[in-house]
Amino acid sequence: MANFYSPQTYGELNEGISQVLFSEEDIQNRVLELGQAISRDYEGCRPLLVGVLKGVFPFMSDLLRAITIPVEVDFMAIASYSAEARDKGYVRLQKDLDESIAGRHVLFVEDVVDTGLTLNYLLGNLRARGPASIKVCALFNKGRRRLISVPLQYKGFDLPDKFVVGYGLDYRELYRNLPFVGLLKPQVFSPGR
Ligand code: IMP
């Protein structure tokens, strides 16, 4: 039996959380299912998992270990822009992949897909490099805010149209280390009120 941390273990960080949406156990069970499906579908293909730093790293780490076939991993990083620039779909690569993806079966791993603009830009960028195939595995999906249609072949959970933190997702670089995902209390966004 796995041991899961209780939210109270995270003291000060947990005090900022108003509601846990997905417990550590929920997330670990779903990641295991995704890993099993990917292992079946990519048997004999040696897929390359591609993630975007930093939010994806806990999910990538757990997903990788839930995959039981030979698999490789690589990362990109993008510069964060103002909300306005992001809304226009502007993305600047800060770190590119280390290896060529020409002829490879690429599985793009995302933490959360919201408007879909970031994913749409990155998929276009990767498709131009001639992979044998490219599919997407997203742990969280905020479908109601989608501005552009993006294919999600593997999906963990649907999220409400709310800002969430934990399991890699941050607010001002904090909360990434929570093993669960939750909503923040309003006072975290506007301290002193
Ligand atoms: P999109 O381009 O609107 O789909 O934005 C996706 C990116 O926005 C994700 O990779 C996250 O970095 C960030 N993001 C979207 N929603 C949340 C959230 O609720 N919490 C933390 N980061 C988020």
Side-chain angles (χ1 to χ4, degrees):
M1 269 298 280
N3 282 319
F4 297 107
Y5 291 102
S6 89
Q8 289 71 34
T9 318
Y10 292 85
E12 189 188 337
L13 283 176
N14 187 53
E15 280 169 24
I17 302 291
S18 64
Q19 190 189 342
V20 174
L21 295 180
F22 299 102
S23 69
E24 182 179 8
E25 189 173 6
D26 295 335
I27 294 173
Q28 293 302 326
N29 286 340
R30 188 71 189 115
V31 172
L32 206 59
E33 288 172 358
L34 291 171
Q36 286 166 348
I38 292 165
S39 305
R40 265 194 317 272
D41 297 349
Y42 282 90
E43 178 86 63
C45 292
R46 200 202 264 225
L48 174 67
L49 269 51
V50 169
V52 179
L53 295 170
K54 306 176 200 171
V56 82
F57 78 91
F59 177 40
M60 180 68 99
S61 160
D62 288 337
L63 182 68
L64 205 58
R65 285 172 293 171
I67 293 176
T68 51
I69 57 169
V71 62
E72 294 178 37
V73 65
D74 206 345
F75 290 98
M76 306 169 105
I78 55 177
S80 46
Y81 277 136
S82 64
E84 199 183 330
R86 257 194 51 197
D87 287 351
K88 293 189 176 138
Y90 297 156
V91 174
R92 187 169 63 81
L93 284 190
Q94 215 161 38
K95 178 209 171 296
D96 204 348
L97 298 173
D98 291 334
E99 303 292 335
S100 161
I101 59 166
R104 299 297 308 268
H105 291 283
V106 173
L107 182 60
F108 192 84
V109 181
E110 255 290 38
D111 45 11
V112 47
V113 183
D114 187 8
T115 62
L117 291 172
T118 311
L119 179 59
N120 184 60
Y121 173 86
L122 292 171
L123 283 180
N125 178 300
L126 293 178
R127 280 197 192 104
R129 307 181 192 194
S133 70
I134 182 156
K135 290 185 177 172
V136 178
C137 175
L139 183 59
F140 295 112
N141 174 44
K142 286 187 185 173
R144 297 187 63 175
R145 280 179 38 98
R146 195 72 90 252
L147 293 178
I148 191 156
S149 163
V150 280
L152 303 185
Q153 283 84 6
Y154 302 92
K155 183 181 74 175
F157 303 97
D158 285 310
L159 277 181
D161 177 15
K162 292 192 171 143
F163 190 82
V164 300
V165 294
Y167 200 61
L169 299 174
D170 73 306
Y171 174 62
R172 298 188 169 174
E173 293 300 323
L174 288 176
Y175 303 95
R176 294 189 197 274
N177 54 322
L178 297 179
F180 56 87
V181 162
L183 300 176
L184 284 175
K185 290 180 181 164
Q187 55 266 41
V188 176
F189 297 110
S190 49
R193 265 192 161 186

